[in-house]
Amino acid sequence: MKEFLDEILYSEEDIDKKVRELGAQITKDYKDKDLLVVGILKGAVSFMSDLIKRIDLPLTVDYMDVTSYEGVNTSGQVKILKDLDNSIEGKDVLIVEDIIDTGTTLNYIKNLFENRLANSVTIATLLNKPKRRKIDVYVKYIGYDIEDLFVIGYGLDYNEIGRNLPYIGTLKKEIYS
Ligand code: IMP
Ligand code: MG
């Protein structure tokens, strides 16, 4: 798999350390709340699975699958492929995402959850590309801010390849350009 990569950005050890830090912070912030952690399929699966192990609180989990695409006259439309299994009314929802790029997906999901009367809706992302943002969405927990590079590994894919890498690396430019 290394032949797909230019360089490794974050090793397994880096990611483990970062996930523990985020988990400790979330544990403090959600004491005495009714925490529901929602993972966004498929990219967030690795991060979600490690992060919930580092949150030392009673919590429930659910998953949602969405896809976003560019419309002819729109910057991004979002379609739900799999909705949540349970009601989120009154819950303190923490959305877990692999990477935030334009912000289209998270902005849509956050608004949807607020309309469903969640008590609070907060976002945790492992990676963030601030320079690519088109829609301003507040992200409380960020693992790493990265440059405008295409990355794979630890859940993130390029055409569905790369999700199983235990680390995160930059995809070789000649593969996607
Ligand atoms: P947004 O709606 O533009 O913020 O898109 C977020 C989604 O785009 C993520 O959940 C990923 O599926 C995908 N994405 C954006 N950048 C990358 C990347 O560098 N590698 C892999 N997937 C990416
Ligand atoms: Mg995704």
Side-chain angles (χ1 to χ4, degrees):
M1 288 293 305
K2 278 207 173 119
E3 67 272 20
F4 289 90
L5 302 177
D6 258 338
E7 58 165 337
I8 294 177
L9 275 187
Y10 303 110
S11 68
E12 283 186 74
E13 293 72 26
D14 295 334
I15 297 168
D16 179 59
K17 191 162 168 269
K18 184 61 78 177
V19 170
R20 285 170 191 264
E21 285 169 17
L22 291 169
Q25 188 60 51
I26 293 164
T27 302
K28 274 190 197 156
D29 295 349
Y30 281 85
K31 267 208 172 68
D32 305 317
K33 300 217 170 171
D34 191 3
L35 176 58
L36 167 67
V37 186
V38 173
I40 307 303
L41 296 171
K42 305 171 196 163
V45 163
S46 300
F47 179 40
M48 170 90 172
S49 127
D50 288 342
L51 182 64
I52 57 175
K53 288 181 265 188
R54 305 300 168 205
I55 302 174
D56 186 16
L57 293 173
L59 57 82
T60 54
V61 301
D62 207 339
Y63 290 91
M64 188 157 185
D65 192 4
V66 295
T67 179
S68 68
Y69 54 93
E70 300 286 314
V72 185
N73 294 309
T74 56
S75 64
Q77 297 275 325
V78 179
K79 194 172 128 195
I80 298 174
L81 300 176
K82 182 220 168 284
D83 208 335
L84 299 175
D85 290 338
N86 295 303
S87 162
I88 60 169
E89 194 173 333
K91 300 266 181 193
D92 293 296
V93 181
L94 178 68
I95 304 171
V96 175
E97 178 63 303
D98 51 356
I99 188 164
I100 305 184
D101 187 41
T102 63
T104 308
T105 312
L106 262 299
N107 180 61
Y108 173 87
I109 295 175
K110 190 165 191 274
N111 288 334
L112 179 75
F113 288 180
E114 283 167 355
N115 289 333
R116 289 180 181 180
L117 305 178
N119 186 52
S120 63
V121 183
T122 304
I123 298 168
T125 189
L126 183 62
L127 301 176
N128 182 41
K129 288 184 183 170
K131 287 185 185 155
R132 295 260 310 164
R133 200 70 93 252
K134 285 186 191 158
I135 299 177
D136 189 29
V137 48
Y138 174 65
V139 186
K140 182 155 185 192
Y141 307 101
I142 296 174
Y144 303 98
D145 280 326
I146 62 168
E147 291 302 312
D148 181 11
L149 295 164
F150 202 88
V151 294
I152 60 168
Y154 197 66
L156 291 143
D157 72 303
Y158 173 67
N159 288 343
E160 297 297 326
I161 297 297
R163 296 195 195 276
N164 56 322
L165 290 169
Y167 44 77
I168 294 169
T170 49
L171 188 67
K172 276 192 178 142
K173 281 228 167 67
E174 58 263 34
I175 295 180
Y176 67 95
S177 59

PDB file of all heavy atoms in Angstrom, residues 40 43 68 78 97-106 129 132-133 146 149-152 156-158 163, ligand 1:
ATOM      1  N   ILE A  40     -19.986   9.168  11.218  1.00  0.00           N
ATOM      2  CA  ILE A  40     -20.395   9.330   9.825  1.00  0.00           C
ATOM      3  C   ILE A  40     -19.648   8.284   8.980  1.00  0.00           C
ATOM      4  O   ILE A  40     -18.422   8.298   8.892  1.00  0.00           O
ATOM      5  CB  ILE A  40     -20.105  10.767   9.318  1.00  0.00           C
ATOM      6  CG1 ILE A  40     -20.722  11.815  10.268  1.00  0.00           C
ATOM      7  CG2 ILE A  40     -20.636  10.940   7.905  1.00  0.00           C
ATOM      8  CD1 ILE A  40     -22.215  11.700  10.502  1.00  0.00           C
ATOM      9  N   GLY A  43     -15.948   6.806   6.429  1.00  0.00           N
ATOM     10  CA  GLY A  43     -14.623   7.316   6.771  1.00  0.00           C
ATOM     11  C   GLY A  43     -14.321   7.419   8.247  1.00  0.00           C
ATOM     12  O   GLY A  43     -13.169   7.280   8.665  1.00  0.00           O
ATOM     13  N   SER A  68     -22.221  13.562  -0.471  1.00  0.00           N
ATOM     14  CA  SER A  68     -22.400  14.926  -0.960  1.00  0.00           C
ATOM     15  C   SER A  68     -21.886  14.993  -2.386  1.00  0.00           C
ATOM     16  O   SER A  68     -20.934  14.319  -2.745  1.00  0.00           O
ATOM     17  CB  SER A  68     -21.694  15.949  -0.075  1.00  0.00           C
ATOM     18  OG  SER A  68     -20.311  15.808  -0.176  1.00  0.00           O
ATOM     19  N   VAL A  78     -26.486  17.299  -0.161  1.00  0.00           N
ATOM     20  CA  VAL A  78     -26.207  16.140   0.681  1.00  0.00           C
ATOM     21  C   VAL A  78     -27.403  15.207   0.649  1.00  0.00           C
ATOM     22  O   VAL A  78     -28.544  15.643   0.732  1.00  0.00           O
ATOM     23  CB  VAL A  78     -25.903  16.586   2.129  1.00  0.00           C
ATOM     24  CG1 VAL A  78     -25.622  15.378   3.015  1.00  0.00           C
ATOM     25  CG2 VAL A  78     -24.704  17.532   2.147  1.00  0.00           C
ATOM     26  N   GLU A  97     -16.454  12.765  12.697  1.00  0.00           N
ATOM     27  CA  GLU A  97     -16.156  12.760  11.263  1.00  0.00           C
ATOM     28  C   GLU A  97     -14.661  12.536  11.050  1.00  0.00           C
ATOM     29  O   GLU A  97     -13.848  12.848  11.927  1.00  0.00           O
ATOM     30  CB  GLU A  97     -16.632  14.107  10.673  1.00  0.00           C
ATOM     31  CG  GLU A  97     -16.388  14.336   9.215  1.00  0.00           C
ATOM     32  CD  GLU A  97     -17.110  13.378   8.274  1.00  0.00           C
ATOM     33  OE1 GLU A  97     -16.904  12.149   8.421  1.00  0.00           O
ATOM     34  OE2 GLU A  97     -17.834  13.829   7.385  1.00  0.00           O
ATOM     35  N   ASP A  98     -14.314  11.985   9.896  1.00  0.00           N
ATOM     36  CA  ASP A  98     -12.892  11.759   9.598  1.00  0.00           C
ATOM     37  C   ASP A  98     -12.181  13.049   9.214  1.00  0.00           C
ATOM     38  O   ASP A  98     -11.094  13.346   9.703  1.00  0.00           O
ATOM     39  CB  ASP A  98     -12.731  10.702   8.484  1.00  0.00           C
ATOM     40  CG  ASP A  98     -13.582  10.989   7.236  1.00  0.00           C
ATOM     41  OD1 ASP A  98     -14.365  11.968   7.227  1.00  0.00           O
ATOM     42  OD2 ASP A  98     -13.468  10.219   6.268  1.00  0.00           O
ATOM     43  N   ILE A  99     -12.830  13.814   8.308  1.00  0.00           N
ATOM     44  CA  ILE A  99     -12.169  15.013   7.791  1.00  0.00           C
ATOM     45  C   ILE A  99     -13.220  16.028   7.375  1.00  0.00           C
ATOM     46  O   ILE A  99     -14.274  15.650   6.858  1.00  0.00           O
ATOM     47  CB  ILE A  99     -11.239  14.640   6.606  1.00  0.00           C
ATOM     48  CG1 ILE A  99     -10.384  15.823   6.150  1.00  0.00           C
ATOM     49  CG2 ILE A  99     -12.004  14.044   5.435  1.00  0.00           C
ATOM     50  CD1 ILE A  99      -9.206  15.401   5.263  1.00  0.00           C
ATOM     51  N   ILE A 100     -12.949  17.292   7.630  1.00  0.00           N
ATOM     52  CA  ILE A 100     -13.850  18.344   7.170  1.00  0.00           C
ATOM     53  C   ILE A 100     -13.131  19.144   6.098  1.00  0.00           C
ATOM     54  O   ILE A 100     -12.026  19.645   6.311  1.00  0.00           O
ATOM     55  CB  ILE A 100     -14.326  19.252   8.314  1.00  0.00           C
ATOM     56  CG1 ILE A 100     -14.955  18.372   9.403  1.00  0.00           C
ATOM     57  CG2 ILE A 100     -15.331  20.275   7.794  1.00  0.00           C
ATOM     58  CD1 ILE A 100     -15.550  19.132  10.535  1.00  0.00           C
ATOM     59  N   ASP A 101     -13.785  19.219   4.952  1.00  0.00           N
ATOM     60  CA  ASP A 101     -13.187  19.820   3.772  1.00  0.00           C
ATOM     61  C   ASP A 101     -13.941  21.128   3.484  1.00  0.00           C
ATOM     62  O   ASP A 101     -13.629  22.156   4.082  1.00  0.00           O
ATOM     63  CB  ASP A 101     -13.307  18.771   2.652  1.00  0.00           C
ATOM     64  CG  ASP A 101     -12.592  19.140   1.385  1.00  0.00           C
ATOM     65  OD1 ASP A 101     -11.484  19.670   1.465  1.00  0.00           O
ATOM     66  OD2 ASP A 101     -13.139  18.887   0.293  1.00  0.00           O
ATOM     67  N   THR A 102     -14.975  21.103   2.663  1.00  0.00           N
ATOM     68  CA  THR A 102     -15.732  22.330   2.393  1.00  0.00           C
ATOM     69  C   THR A 102     -16.676  22.693   3.547  1.00  0.00           C
ATOM     70  O   THR A 102     -17.096  23.834   3.681  1.00  0.00           O
ATOM     71  CB  THR A 102     -16.590  22.190   1.113  1.00  0.00           C
ATOM     72  OG1 THR A 102     -17.555  21.161   1.327  1.00  0.00           O
ATOM     73  CG2 THR A 102     -15.730  21.852  -0.082  1.00  0.00           C
ATOM     74  N   GLY A 103     -17.036  21.699   4.350  1.00  0.00           N
ATOM     75  CA  GLY A 103     -17.974  21.934   5.451  1.00  0.00           C
ATOM     76  C   GLY A 103     -19.416  21.623   5.078  1.00  0.00           C
ATOM     77  O   GLY A 103     -20.305  21.663   5.933  1.00  0.00           O
ATOM     78  N   THR A 104     -19.649  21.297   3.812  1.00  0.00           N
ATOM     79  CA  THR A 104     -21.017  21.053   3.322  1.00  0.00           C
ATOM     80  C   THR A 104     -21.713  19.934   4.103  1.00  0.00           C
ATOM     81  O   THR A 104     -22.847  20.092   4.569  1.00  0.00           O
ATOM     82  CB  THR A 104     -20.974  20.657   1.821  1.00  0.00           C
ATOM     83  OG1 THR A 104     -20.213  21.636   1.128  1.00  0.00           O
ATOM     84  CG2 THR A 104     -22.365  20.564   1.232  1.00  0.00           C
ATOM     85  N   THR A 105     -21.032  18.795   4.234  1.00  0.00           N
ATOM     86  CA  THR A 105     -21.641  17.627   4.880  1.00  0.00           C
ATOM     87  C   THR A 105     -21.995  17.917   6.333  1.00  0.00           C
ATOM     88  O   THR A 105     -23.119  17.669   6.775  1.00  0.00           O
ATOM     89  CB  THR A 105     -20.651  16.434   4.825  1.00  0.00           C
ATOM     90  OG1 THR A 105     -20.149  16.302   3.499  1.00  0.00           O
ATOM     91  CG2 THR A 105     -21.316  15.146   5.255  1.00  0.00           C
ATOM     92  N   LEU A 106     -21.037  18.456   7.069  1.00  0.00           N
ATOM     93  CA  LEU A 106     -21.258  18.676   8.502  1.00  0.00           C
ATOM     94  C   LEU A 106     -22.278  19.764   8.769  1.00  0.00           C
ATOM     95  O   LEU A 106     -23.051  19.667   9.718  1.00  0.00           O
ATOM     96  CB  LEU A 106     -19.932  19.020   9.184  1.00  0.00           C
ATOM     97  CG  LEU A 106     -19.252  17.850   9.875  1.00  0.00           C
ATOM     98  CD1 LEU A 106     -20.149  17.287  10.968  1.00  0.00           C
ATOM     99  CD2 LEU A 106     -18.944  16.736   8.905  1.00  0.00           C
ATOM    100  N   LYS A 129      -9.413  20.692   7.046  1.00  0.00           N
ATOM    101  CA  LYS A 129      -8.722  21.453   5.986  1.00  0.00           C
ATOM    102  C   LYS A 129      -9.302  22.861   5.971  1.00  0.00           C
ATOM    103  O   LYS A 129     -10.198  23.156   5.157  1.00  0.00           O
ATOM    104  CB  LYS A 129      -8.977  20.797   4.622  1.00  0.00           C
ATOM    105  CG  LYS A 129      -8.267  19.485   4.384  1.00  0.00           C
ATOM    106  CD  LYS A 129      -8.562  19.025   2.941  1.00  0.00           C
ATOM    107  CE  LYS A 129      -7.969  17.688   2.628  1.00  0.00           C
ATOM    108  NZ  LYS A 129      -8.458  17.158   1.327  1.00  0.00           N
ATOM    109  N   ARG A 132      -9.967  24.995   2.727  1.00  0.00           N
ATOM    110  CA  ARG A 132     -10.937  24.529   1.738  1.00  0.00           C
ATOM    111  C   ARG A 132     -12.380  24.880   2.111  1.00  0.00           C
ATOM    112  O   ARG A 132     -13.310  24.602   1.369  1.00  0.00           O
ATOM    113  CB  ARG A 132     -10.838  23.006   1.608  1.00  0.00           C
ATOM    114  CG  ARG A 132      -9.509  22.541   1.050  1.00  0.00           C
ATOM    115  CD  ARG A 132      -9.621  22.230  -0.401  1.00  0.00           C
ATOM    116  NE  ARG A 132     -10.760  21.352  -0.653  1.00  0.00           N
ATOM    117  CZ  ARG A 132     -11.286  21.165  -1.841  1.00  0.00           C
ATOM    118  NH1 ARG A 132     -10.803  21.814  -2.882  1.00  0.00           N
ATOM    119  NH2 ARG A 132     -12.298  20.336  -2.001  1.00  0.00           N
ATOM    120  N   ARG A 133     -12.562  25.498   3.276  1.00  0.00           N
ATOM    121  CA  ARG A 133     -13.920  25.708   3.781  1.00  0.00           C
ATOM    122  C   ARG A 133     -14.751  26.614   2.877  1.00  0.00           C
ATOM    123  O   ARG A 133     -14.291  27.674   2.468  1.00  0.00           O
ATOM    124  CB  ARG A 133     -13.850  26.308   5.189  1.00  0.00           C
ATOM    125  CG  ARG A 133     -15.151  26.093   5.950  1.00  0.00           C
ATOM    126  CD  ARG A 133     -15.395  24.621   6.343  1.00  0.00           C
ATOM    127  NE  ARG A 133     -14.892  24.355   7.669  1.00  0.00           N
ATOM    128  CZ  ARG A 133     -13.814  23.642   7.906  1.00  0.00           C
ATOM    129  NH1 ARG A 133     -13.119  23.103   6.938  1.00  0.00           N
ATOM    130  NH2 ARG A 133     -13.411  23.432   9.136  1.00  0.00           N
ATOM    131  N   ILE A 146      -4.805  20.432   8.525  1.00  0.00           N
ATOM    132  CA  ILE A 146      -3.851  20.071   7.472  1.00  0.00           C
ATOM    133  C   ILE A 146      -4.003  21.001   6.265  1.00  0.00           C
ATOM    134  O   ILE A 146      -5.003  21.681   6.104  1.00  0.00           O
ATOM    135  CB  ILE A 146      -3.988  18.593   7.022  1.00  0.00           C
ATOM    136  CG1 ILE A 146      -5.371  18.304   6.412  1.00  0.00           C
ATOM    137  CG2 ILE A 146      -3.713  17.649   8.183  1.00  0.00           C
ATOM    138  CD1 ILE A 146      -5.453  16.960   5.701  1.00  0.00           C
ATOM    139  N   LEU A 149      -4.261  18.955   0.882  1.00  0.00           N
ATOM    140  CA  LEU A 149      -3.653  17.767   0.279  1.00  0.00           C
ATOM    141  C   LEU A 149      -4.659  16.637   0.380  1.00  0.00           C
ATOM    142  O   LEU A 149      -5.474  16.626   1.298  1.00  0.00           O
ATOM    143  CB  LEU A 149      -2.406  17.344   1.076  1.00  0.00           C
ATOM    144  CG  LEU A 149      -1.238  18.314   1.090  1.00  0.00           C
ATOM    145  CD1 LEU A 149      -0.274  17.953   2.202  1.00  0.00           C
ATOM    146  CD2 LEU A 149      -0.538  18.295  -0.268  1.00  0.00           C
ATOM    147  N   PHE A 150      -4.595  15.681  -0.523  1.00  0.00           N
ATOM    148  CA  PHE A 150      -5.508  14.547  -0.424  1.00  0.00           C
ATOM    149  C   PHE A 150      -4.850  13.460   0.410  1.00  0.00           C
ATOM    150  O   PHE A 150      -3.748  13.010   0.114  1.00  0.00           O
ATOM    151  CB  PHE A 150      -5.901  14.010  -1.803  1.00  0.00           C
ATOM    152  CG  PHE A 150      -7.181  13.246  -1.739  1.00  0.00           C
ATOM    153  CD1 PHE A 150      -8.401  13.894  -1.882  1.00  0.00           C
ATOM    154  CD2 PHE A 150      -7.177  11.878  -1.469  1.00  0.00           C
ATOM    155  CE1 PHE A 150      -9.594  13.193  -1.774  1.00  0.00           C
ATOM    156  CE2 PHE A 150      -8.374  11.174  -1.359  1.00  0.00           C
ATOM    157  CZ  PHE A 150      -9.575  11.825  -1.508  1.00  0.00           C
ATOM    158  N   VAL A 151      -5.522  13.055   1.468  1.00  0.00           N
ATOM    159  CA  VAL A 151      -4.926  12.072   2.385  1.00  0.00           C
ATOM    160  C   VAL A 151      -5.758  10.785   2.426  1.00  0.00           C
ATOM    161  O   VAL A 151      -6.971  10.813   2.208  1.00  0.00           O
ATOM    162  CB  VAL A 151      -4.803  12.645   3.818  1.00  0.00           C
ATOM    163  CG1 VAL A 151      -3.810  13.794   3.845  1.00  0.00           C
ATOM    164  CG2 VAL A 151      -6.152  13.120   4.362  1.00  0.00           C
ATOM    165  N   ILE A 152      -5.089   9.691   2.703  1.00  0.00           N
ATOM    166  CA  ILE A 152      -5.792   8.408   2.875  1.00  0.00           C
ATOM    167  C   ILE A 152      -5.249   7.692   4.108  1.00  0.00           C
ATOM    168  O   ILE A 152      -4.192   8.031   4.628  1.00  0.00           O
ATOM    169  CB  ILE A 152      -5.681   7.470   1.640  1.00  0.00           C
ATOM    170  CG1 ILE A 152      -4.221   7.114   1.323  1.00  0.00           C
ATOM    171  CG2 ILE A 152      -6.375   8.058   0.430  1.00  0.00           C
ATOM    172  CD1 ILE A 152      -4.071   5.976   0.299  1.00  0.00           C
ATOM    173  N   LEU A 156      -9.905   6.933   5.915  1.00  0.00           N
ATOM    174  CA  LEU A 156     -10.028   7.792   4.725  1.00  0.00           C
ATOM    175  C   LEU A 156      -9.624   7.039   3.465  1.00  0.00           C
ATOM    176  O   LEU A 156      -8.641   6.299   3.462  1.00  0.00           O
ATOM    177  CB  LEU A 156      -9.124   9.018   4.879  1.00  0.00           C
ATOM    178  CG  LEU A 156      -9.583   9.986   5.956  1.00  0.00           C
ATOM    179  CD1 LEU A 156      -8.393  10.566   6.683  1.00  0.00           C
ATOM    180  CD2 LEU A 156     -10.420  11.082   5.337  1.00  0.00           C
ATOM    181  N   ASP A 157     -10.375   7.296   2.392  1.00  0.00           N
ATOM    182  CA  ASP A 157     -10.144   6.534   1.163  1.00  0.00           C
ATOM    183  C   ASP A 157      -9.888   7.413  -0.043  1.00  0.00           C
ATOM    184  O   ASP A 157     -10.221   8.597  -0.062  1.00  0.00           O
ATOM    185  CB  ASP A 157     -11.389   5.698   0.844  1.00  0.00           C
ATOM    186  CG  ASP A 157     -12.544   6.580   0.346  1.00  0.00           C
ATOM    187  OD1 ASP A 157     -12.936   7.507   1.084  1.00  0.00           O
ATOM    188  OD2 ASP A 157     -13.022   6.370  -0.782  1.00  0.00           O
ATOM    189  N   TYR A 158      -9.346   6.782  -1.079  1.00  0.00           N
ATOM    190  CA  TYR A 158      -9.366   7.342  -2.422  1.00  0.00           C
ATOM    191  C   TYR A 158     -10.030   6.273  -3.280  1.00  0.00           C
ATOM    192  O   TYR A 158      -9.495   5.171  -3.413  1.00  0.00           O
ATOM    193  CB  TYR A 158      -7.954   7.645  -2.940  1.00  0.00           C
ATOM    194  CG  TYR A 158      -7.960   8.071  -4.389  1.00  0.00           C
ATOM    195  CD1 TYR A 158      -8.537   9.277  -4.756  1.00  0.00           C
ATOM    196  CD2 TYR A 158      -7.438   7.243  -5.390  1.00  0.00           C
ATOM    197  CE1 TYR A 158      -8.588   9.665  -6.083  1.00  0.00           C
ATOM    198  CE2 TYR A 158      -7.483   7.630  -6.721  1.00  0.00           C
ATOM    199  CZ  TYR A 158      -8.061   8.844  -7.061  1.00  0.00           C
ATOM    200  OH  TYR A 158      -8.113   9.225  -8.380  1.00  0.00           O
ATOM    201  N   ARG A 163      -8.597   2.722   3.252  1.00  0.00           N
ATOM    202  CA  ARG A 163      -9.250   2.855   4.564  1.00  0.00           C
ATOM    203  C   ARG A 163      -8.577   2.013   5.648  1.00  0.00           C
ATOM    204  O   ARG A 163      -8.611   2.353   6.822  1.00  0.00           O
ATOM    205  CB  ARG A 163     -10.719   2.415   4.478  1.00  0.00           C
ATOM    206  CG  ARG A 163     -11.585   3.279   3.560  1.00  0.00           C
ATOM    207  CD  ARG A 163     -13.053   2.993   3.829  1.00  0.00           C
ATOM    208  NE  ARG A 163     -13.944   3.498   2.795  1.00  0.00           N
ATOM    209  CZ  ARG A 163     -14.404   4.747   2.736  1.00  0.00           C
ATOM    210  NH1 ARG A 163     -14.037   5.636   3.638  1.00  0.00           N
ATOM    211  NH2 ARG A 163     -15.226   5.119   1.771  1.00  0.00           N
TER     212      ARG A 163
HETATM  213  P1  IMP B   1     -17.084  18.240   2.888  1.00  0.00           P
HETATM  214  O1  IMP B   1     -18.560  18.095   2.857  1.00  0.00           O
HETATM  215  O2  IMP B   1     -16.574  18.973   1.667  1.00  0.00           O
HETATM  216  O3  IMP B   1     -16.541  18.850   4.157  1.00  0.00           O
HETATM  217  O4  IMP B   1     -16.495  16.796   2.668  1.00  0.00           O
HETATM  218  C1  IMP B   1     -16.133  15.961   3.655  1.00  0.00           C
HETATM  219  C2  IMP B   1     -15.926  14.580   3.056  1.00  0.00           C
HETATM  220  O5  IMP B   1     -15.089  14.623   1.885  1.00  0.00           O
HETATM  221  C3  IMP B   1     -15.193  13.688   4.031  1.00  0.00           C
HETATM  222  O6  IMP B   1     -16.080  13.025   4.887  1.00  0.00           O
HETATM  223  C4  IMP B   1     -14.461  12.747   3.092  1.00  0.00           C
HETATM  224  O7  IMP B   1     -15.303  11.662   2.746  1.00  0.00           O
HETATM  225  C5  IMP B   1     -14.195  13.538   1.849  1.00  0.00           C
HETATM  226  N1  IMP B   1     -12.796  14.040   1.806  1.00  0.00           N
HETATM  227  C6  IMP B   1     -12.408  15.326   1.812  1.00  0.00           C
HETATM  228  N2  IMP B   1     -11.066  15.437   1.763  1.00  0.00           N
HETATM  229  C7  IMP B   1     -10.590  14.179   1.743  1.00  0.00           C
HETATM  230  C8  IMP B   1      -9.253  13.634   1.715  1.00  0.00           C
HETATM  231  O8  IMP B   1      -8.215  14.323   1.702  1.00  0.00           O
HETATM  232  N3  IMP B   1      -9.170  12.273   1.700  1.00  0.00           N
HETATM  233  C9  IMP B   1     -10.261  11.460   1.700  1.00  0.00           C
HETATM  234  N4  IMP B   1     -11.523  11.927   1.752  1.00  0.00           N
HETATM  235  C10 IMP B   1     -11.689  13.279   1.760  1.00  0.00           C
END
